[in-house]
Structure formats: structure tokens, C-alpha cells
Amino acid sequence: MQSAVANQASSPSKPTAAFVGASWAVLVIGFGSFAVGLWNATMTKSEKGFYAAVLVLGVFAAVSLQKSVRDRADGLPVSALYLGLSWSVVALAVLMLVIGLWNSDMALSEKGFYGLAFAMTVFAGVAVQKNVRDTLQFRAPSRHESVPVPPQAYPVPGAHYTN
């Protein structure tokens, strides 16, 4: 019984259309909300640019981190340096957002809005990346399946050929 559960947990399942759709919807809503909030904000263009850059940095770093962790779990090589950088940049993006919001003159409700939109978008980015990877695993042949090798166009010296 225990081995059946272990085998089931180790093989990823194809994400449902509902989860894929919800992940994409949350990503679009998060980015859109953050963008509309910045568009209508009464702050300088440099402040708006800062918050936009922090959002993009956070989403990219979180997606990169998720991919690195998943690659390691799947037995693919990921350097400790890259994994550490991914963790560091995610932490840096969160820290930059927190410090920026802490020092801003925005109302507390606005600060909460940007914090929630940031968190929602980062999480949705990770979910979308996971869905894309899981879906591709079901379309592509398995790494462990034998792939036919085409015959060589040129004979190899010293090789013995049989038909």
C-alpha cells in the first residue's frame, strides 16, 4: 500500500484545465491590478517605474526559483550558485517592495493593495510556470523512452556493418 502511494506522489499529474485557467486568470488580474494602480497613482514616474520593476523582478525570480527547485527534484543538474541566486533575488524583490512601501506616503490601504497584488502575481507566475512544465511533460516523450537513432550518412572507419 505504501509503495503505491509513493509511486503516485512521485509522478506528476497533468494539471486540469480549471487550474490552468485559474492560474492564468490570477496572473493577468494581478499584473493588471498592479498596473492600473500604478497608472492612477499620484506618485512620480520614477516611483511608478520602481514598483513596476520590482514586480517584474519578483515574478521572474520566483519563476526561476520554481524551475530550479523542480529541476533538482527531477534529478536535473542545478548549480548551488544558481539556486542560491534565485532565492536571493526573490528575497531581494520582496525586501525592495517592503522598504519602498514602508517609506512611501501612500495610505495604508494603498500599501496593502500593492502588497497583495505583488504576492498574488508572484504566486500566479509560479503556478503558470508549473502548469506549463507539467503540460509539456505529457506532450513530449519521456526522457527514459528509447529514441530511434537515424543511420549514419557516412561510414565510420573501422566499423563493421551488417544488414
Side-chain angles (χ1 to χ4, degrees):
M1 179 72 170
Q2 187 177 9
S3 63
V5 172
N7 289 341
Q8 186 179 17
S10 66
S11 64
S13 59
K14 184 176 179 183
T16 64
F19 185 67
V20 171
S23 299
W24 276 103
V26 171
L27 182 64
V28 169
I29 291 168
F31 260 121
S33 301
F34 204 92
V36 168
L38 287 179
W39 183 266
N40 292 312
T42 57
M43 58 178 84
T44 65
K45 289 181 183 177
S46 61
E47 287 175 295
K48 291 179 181 184
F50 169 78
Y51 287 113
V54 166
L55 179 66
V56 171
L57 175 70
V59 171
F60 181 80
V63 167
S64 183
L65 175 62
Q66 191 276 339
K67 184 179 180 335
S68 299
V69 169
R70 178 77 179 267
D71 283 351
R72 270 206 170 171
D74 288 348
L76 298 171
V78 176
S79 71
L81 176 63
Y82 189 81
L83 187 62
L85 281 172
S86 296
W87 275 110
S88 299
V89 176
V90 169
L92 179 65
V94 171
L95 184 65
M96 288 171 66
L97 181 75
V98 168
I99 290 171
L101 292 175
W102 184 273
N103 292 314
S104 74
D105 293 332
M106 288 186 245
L108 192 56
S109 60
E110 289 177 287
K111 292 178 182 184
F113 164 79
Y114 286 110
L116 287 174
F118 177 86
M120 182 170 85
T121 306
V122 167
F123 182 79
V126 169
V128 165
Q129 195 279 333
K130 180 195 177 303
N131 290 338
V132 167
R133 182 171 177 151
D134 287 348
T135 301
L136 287 175
Q137 276 188 321
F138 286 92
R139 289 187 188 159
S142 172
R143 287 182 264 163
H144 304 292
E145 291 179 12
S146 63
V147 178
V149 178
Q152 292 180 339
Y154 303 101
V156 177
H160 301 283
Y161 298 97
T162 59
N163 286 336

